[in-house]
Amino acid sequence: MGNCVIKAKNIKKTFERADVKTEVVRGIDLEIAEGEFVAIVGESGSGKSTLLYLLSGSDKTSEGVVELFGKNLEEASDDELARMRRQMFSFVYQYDNLVSNLTAYENIVLPLMLDKKNLKDEEERISELIDYLNIKNCVDKFPKELSGGEQQRVALARALAIEPSLIFLDEPTGSLDTTMGKQVMELLKDINEKRNVALVMVTHSKAHAAYASRILEMADGKIAG
Ligand SMILES: Nc1ncnc2c1ncn2[C@@H]1O[C@H](COP(=O)(O)OP(=O)(O)OP(=O)(O)O)[C@@H](O)[C@H]1O
Ligand SMILES: [Mg+2]
């Protein structure tokens, strides 16, 4: 295996409320290589989203270690994690990825602005990205004026704007019909193959998981197969 973008060692997550403890992630070892496309499937409640949050540093493990780009997340400061999020990896959710009072274009360049990039220098690349995702007609519209598929393509443009090495996706096609879902999956496959971006995608769809090069099945907080 080439260099790893993610290494997780025996990670666990327990939620505690009052005197009730729920073990949601129950000891997972995982290595994901540069440029890999991994799908995570499993029943509702099996811990898929929780795992994604742990791997991306959005939530802390109760036990075990996650290394993201070689950095132990336990030892990473908030600033370091925020910098990684601005420059190295993106996150795409099932829906509501976009800021509602910004246009699609403003949404796409938002991560660059947060990273204090000069937008003039990035204009050509962003315009190429907009062509690539076929959303030229969307750029001046607000999210609520876009279809679900258009919104997800804008969300992908935003995810790609920072030229990440890795994108986490939590059911990116979950709110789309079959045709739009397929379109987004074809794009993801292309993004993975042509741009060598590693993808870690949670999905309910067996057909969509088949686009990945590796499928992990989660059951009861563990990876089954
Ligand atoms: N913050 C929390 N506090 C307490 N329990 C939680 C919390 N977050 C998740 N859980 C519980 O952990 C379990 C796994 O949740 P998770 O969202 O990871 O499942 P999932 O596999 O993503 O499900 P779905 O396919 O429905 O999205 C669920 O039983 C859920 O109720
Ligand atoms: Mg989930």
Side-chain angles (χ1 to χ4, degrees), residues 7-217:
K7 268 190 202 176
K9 212 158 169 40
N10 197 23
I11 56 170
K12 298 184 180 172
K13 181 69 181 180
T14 308
F15 292 108
E16 285 181 50
R17 187 143 50 85
D19 52 358
V20 184
K21 279 189 184 181
T22 321
E23 245 194 326
V24 173
V25 171
R26 305 192 311 132
I28 286 182
D29 290 303
L30 189 57
E31 293 195 357
I32 295 174
E34 273 175 0
E36 232 193 324
F37 185 175
V38 175
I40 302 172
V41 299
E43 292 193 349
S44 182
S46 57
K48 306 180 298 296
S49 294
T50 305
L51 176 63
L52 224 51
Y53 301 149
L54 296 177
L55 296 178
S56 59
S58 319
D59 201 355
K60 285 192 186 322
T61 57
S62 309
E63 273 181 58
V65 173
V66 176
E67 277 182 26
L68 194 55
F69 302 106
K71 180 83 201 170
N72 180 340
L73 291 182
E74 197 108 304
E75 293 163 2
S77 67
D78 288 350
D79 281 353
E80 275 174 308
L81 194 56
R83 189 186 52 77
M84 271 199 253
R85 221 174 262 145
R86 287 197 308 270
Q87 300 178 347
M88 298 167 88
F89 72 90
S90 305
F91 212 116
V92 175
Y93 300 92
Q94 181 171 351
Y95 41 61
D96 285 346
N97 278 292
L98 305 173
V99 181
S100 61
N101 60 350
L102 298 181
T103 65
Y105 190 84
E106 290 165 343
N107 266 284
I108 293 167
V109 298
L110 186 61
L112 300 173
M113 293 176 71
L114 293 175
D115 202 33
K116 300 190 170 55
K117 288 269 194 323
N118 182 348
L119 290 189
K120 269 267 169 288
D121 300 341
E122 312 282 334
E123 224 165 49
E124 205 176 307
R125 195 171 59 75
I126 296 301
S127 156
E128 179 264 337
L129 205 50
I130 285 164
D131 284 341
Y132 170 64
L133 292 165
N134 195 19
I135 47 173
K136 222 176 187 155
N137 60 326
C138 301
V139 288
D140 293 326
K141 293 185 178 167
F142 290 94
K144 69 168 186 305
E145 300 171 320
L146 304 173
S147 75
E150 287 170 340
Q151 287 184 32
Q152 285 310 63
R153 280 180 284 144
V154 172
L156 282 180
R158 183 174 67 178
L160 287 168
I162 64 166
E163 299 186 285
S165 314
L166 167 65
I167 306 178
F168 295 96
L169 308 111
D170 196 354
E171 310 217 26
T173 56
S175 60
L176 305 181
D177 66 26
T178 314
T179 313
M180 282 189 189
K182 186 155 185 266
Q183 222 177 57
V184 167
M185 287 313 305
E186 300 283 348
L187 272 168
L188 286 174
K189 181 113 183 120
D190 201 71
I191 286 164
N192 171 248
E193 286 175 355
K194 306 250 172 69
R195 295 170 187 243
N196 202 36
V197 180
L199 303 177
V200 183
M201 175 188 75
V202 167
T203 180
H204 267 116
S205 160
K206 284 257 147 62
H208 291 177
Y211 284 84
S213 44
R214 181 152 60 115
I215 301 176
L216 304 175
E217 185 137 5

